Amino acid sequence: QVQLVESGGGLVQAGGSLRLSCAASGSNFIISTMGWYRQAPGKQRELVASITYGGSTNYADSVKGRFTISRDNVKNTVNLQMQMNSLKPEDTAIYYCNKYPLRIGITWGQGTQVTVSS
């Protein structure tokens, strides 16, 4: 059974920090490259950061140097985190975790809302 549970979002002032967490179980998440995605109002969902099974990371240019993705594989569950520093109002979005790349028919969790005030 696929489960994706994101948490850690909130309201923060510009320049502040948040740490997002995701617990992903089932569907071979444990051996998959995982990613944090975000969707701002009126915009398409975009990949923010990704991390391979072995720990190699990649970041969107817009968050490079400010966000750090990490993972911890425990049995059948991937515990994915993302430390977000120097937050900007344009980082406001709902944040989701999932495999990267995405598959057709993939399941999404409920996401976690991040709101950055100016």
Side-chain angles (χ1 to χ4, degrees):
Q1 184 180 358
V2 173
Q3 275 198 318
L4 292 157
V5 180
E6 300 95 347
S7 62
L11 173 62
V12 64
Q13 287 189 331
S17 299
L18 285 172
R19 185 173 181 83
L20 304 185
S21 296
C22 162
S25 58
S27 191
N28 294 324
F29 287 121
I30 199 79
I31 59 171
S32 299
T33 295
M34 295 294 293
W36 280 103
Y37 300 80
R38 67 185 180 188
Q39 187 167 22
K43 294 189 177 181
Q44 287 194 331
R45 199 171 322 208
E46 62 173 350
L47 178 69
V48 174
S50 63
I51 184 167
T52 67
Y53 172 78
S56 296
T57 59
N58 204 6
Y59 299 92
D61 287 343
S62 59
V63 306
K64 207 170 287 185
R66 300 188 296 121
F67 291 9
T68 303
I69 188 173
S70 60
R71 69 186 287 166
D72 180 28
N73 298 333
V74 180
K75 292 186 179 179
N76 193 40
T77 300
V78 175
N79 294 313
L80 194 69
Q81 293 86 35
M82 187 160 70
Q83 179 67 40
M84 306 189 298
N85 299 327
S86 302
L87 283 162
K88 304 176 180 180
E90 51 263 44
D91 295 319
T92 295
I94 301 175
Y95 284 71
Y96 304 86
C97 63
N98 219 314
K99 290 182 179 180
Y100 175 78
L102 298 174
R103 274 72 168 174
I104 295 173
I106 202 164
T107 298
W108 291 94
Q110 82 287 351
T112 186
Q113 175 72 50
V114 171
T115 303
V116 184
S117 62
S118 56

